[in-house]
Amino acid sequence: MIHSLFLINSSSDIFLEKHWKSVISRSVCDYFFEVQEKAGEAENVPPVIHAGHHYLINIYREKIFFVSVIQSEVPPLFVIEFLHHVAETFQDYFGECSESAIKDNVVIVYELLEEMLDNGFPLATESNILKELIKPPNILRSVVNSITGSCNVGETLPTGQLSTIPWRRAGVKYTNNEAYFDVVEEIDAILDKTGSVVFAEIQGVIDACVNLTGMPDLTLSFMNPRLLDDVSFHPCVRFKRWESERVLSFIPPDGNFRLLSYHVSAQNLVAIPIYVKQNISFFETGSSGRLDITVGPKQTMGKTVEAVFVTINMPKVVLSANLTATQGNYTYNPVTKTLVWDIGKLSQQKLPNLKGSLTLQCGAPKPEESPSLNIDLKIQQLAISGLKVNRLDMYGEKYKPFKGVKYVSKAGKFQCMAITIWLYIFTNKENSHLKC
């Protein structure tokens, strides 16, 4: 299936490569670099690229492109899912999936890739199995390995490999038996200049941290499961029971894992938590303009909107910004032309406002395109879709575990189209007035 894997950084340098069947020249990545240059932004690079006798299937994670080389016909989503597993494994092992972390642990990276793929086909992708095969790095183990010349590869076959439940190791014991679930939702939305919703949907995940003794059998039910659409499950979930009862029944892996991901696509079910009033205007005569932005809470179900950031990519002719913020702080980078307003928490009593003047380059043509506003926000203890966990039951074990559910909503790709107003000033006596 996968012949080779190349890791490419933001500078288009190949800093790691792994081959399973035959060595493929790095020149195959030239096709990728051509498409990347045309795409401009990293997020716009297509996931599947035709490269002569090969196909390049890639994902972009933490400023790294994971580019796999395929020579035979395979389902692209199957490869994409595996590449995400690779990135998440690096995150789990090293704490971050960054270029520096991968370079610092390059031996373990090659050991993991060797175990995760067998002759190009996925073999062991579960974190529990991999951690028994290859020990996670720590300072003491690194010192011992350097002195003794040993490696991180285990000497015994993991118990999960011989079990009908490969994602959970046998003989798990904990003093404190706990099960935590995080419901995290991201709002993707585009608002037009009047504040009306052009597009809106919710991407959600349920992440679990399960530290339970023995072999527990869990059942998780929701108060409104019909909200969920296009659901993707962890292999531990019994799909037939979900289809018939809309209940999650599963024997969980040990530790951290993603139980499911979903999205809510019906716009009438997506509550936009804030509203934005904005006015960006440029004077036709002279080299100045003005900006006026107000942000306020809208549909928050009584919860506080916090960690609010407004980012505006200004036109190239904007040299500086002289603004006043009633709440938070703003910064303007004249090199990248980026205005960032750090608001913090939103309050109904006093709405934050950013207002002031813009200085433009003398003699330069006025901006043709309206800059859009990118919004970041976070709401604790709220699933914006209205999804709620009803109860969690455990079978197969006699003890009573501690259970907890946390909800978080945040902005994904949240954009507000700005209004650009041209101000024409007539100085003759007959037309001494302002037209917008």
Side-chain angles (χ1 to χ4, degrees), residues 43-44 186-190 199 374-376 411-415:
E43 290 79 4
N44 297 332
E186 289 190 354
I187 311 163
D188 295 335
I190 298 177
F199 167 84
N374 298 293
I375 311 294
D376 287 322
K413 296 180 179 179
F414 197 107
Q415 278 194 346

Side-chain angles (χ1 to χ4, degrees), residues 166-406:
W167 53 82
R168 185 174 182 85
R169 58 193 177 96
V172 182
K173 292 184 179 181
Y174 287 99
T175 303
N176 297 321
N177 292 284
E178 303 169 328
Y180 299 101
F181 296 89
D182 293 341
V183 181
V184 182
E185 295 187 342
E186 289 190 354
I187 311 163
D188 295 335
I190 298 177
L191 310 181
D192 65 13
K193 58 187 179 183
T194 64
S196 301
V197 179
V198 178
F199 167 84
E201 70 174 14
I202 294 171
Q203 306 288 344
V205 298
I206 298 181
D207 290 327
C209 178
V210 178
N211 298 324
L212 298 176
T213 301
M215 197 67 68
D217 198 327
L218 303 182
T219 300
L220 186 69
S221 60
F222 302 95
M223 295 183 65
N224 39 10
R226 300 292 173 182
L227 287 172
L228 304 181
D229 187 21
D230 192 18
V231 186
S232 175
F233 299 102
H234 188 277
C236 69
V237 176
R238 300 181 178 99
F239 183 65
K240 287 187 177 180
R241 187 165 181 189
W242 169 259
E243 278 191 318
S244 60
E245 303 176 34
R246 282 295 188 265
V247 169
L248 294 179
S249 176
F250 57 98
I251 296 177
D254 180 42
N256 298 302
F257 67 99
R258 176 154 294 174
L259 182 61
L260 65 91
S261 60
Y262 62 92
H263 88 271
V264 180
S265 56
Q267 290 195 11
N268 59 337
L269 296 177
V270 181
I272 304 301
I274 64 170
Y275 67 88
V276 181
K277 293 181 180 179
Q278 28 75 22
N279 182 359
I280 300 176
S281 55
F282 300 102
F283 293 99
E284 180 63 22
T285 57
S287 301
S288 62
R290 66 169 180 248
L291 178 145
D292 189 353
I293 302 174
T294 302
V295 181
K298 190 177 180 182
Q299 303 180 52
T300 62
M301 291 82 164
K303 303 297 183 180
T304 302
V305 183
E306 55 189 40
V308 181
F309 282 83
V310 178
T311 304
I312 307 175
N313 294 317
M314 287 292 185
K316 295 182 179 179
V317 296
V318 179
L319 296 179
S320 61
N322 184 17
L323 309 173
T324 302
T326 60
Q327 180 178 328
N329 301 301
Y330 83 92
T331 57
Y332 180 70
N333 189 327
V335 178
T336 61
K337 308 298 182 184
T338 303
L339 174 66
V340 179
W341 181 22
D342 181 2
I343 300 175
K345 293 183 179 180
L346 294 184
S347 173
Q348 287 279 12
Q349 288 72 28
K350 185 179 180 182
L351 299 179
N353 176 262
L354 182 66
K355 188 176 182 180
S357 61
L358 304 173
T359 303
L360 308 182
Q361 185 177 346
C362 292
K366 297 300 180 289
E368 296 180 358
E369 296 182 356
S370 303
S372 59
L373 284 67
N374 298 293
I375 311 294
D376 287 322
L377 58 90
K378 183 182 291 185
I379 309 174
Q380 300 284 358
Q381 293 305 319
L382 173 67
I384 202 70
S385 67
L387 182 70
K388 288 186 178 180
V389 173
N390 184 24
R391 58 183 297 168
L392 175 68
D393 297 314
M394 186 183 73
Y395 306 94
E397 299 292 339
K398 296 181 179 180
Y399 57 84
K400 291 185 178 180
F402 180 82
K403 299 169 285 187
V405 180
K406 183 175 71 175

Side-chain angles (χ1 to χ4, degrees), residues 418-431:
I419 305 174
T420 298
I421 299 178
W422 300 94
L423 298 179
Y424 299 89
I425 299 178
F426 298 90
T427 56
N428 58 7
K429 296 181 180 180
E430 295 180 359
N431 297 297

Side-chain angles (χ1 to χ4, degrees), residues 14-29:
I14 301 173
F15 66 91
L16 187 139
E17 60 182 282
K18 169 67 176 172
H19 308 278
W20 282 273
K21 292 190 175 182
S22 58
V23 177
I24 296 178
S25 173
R26 287 189 172 193
S27 60
V28 74
C29 294

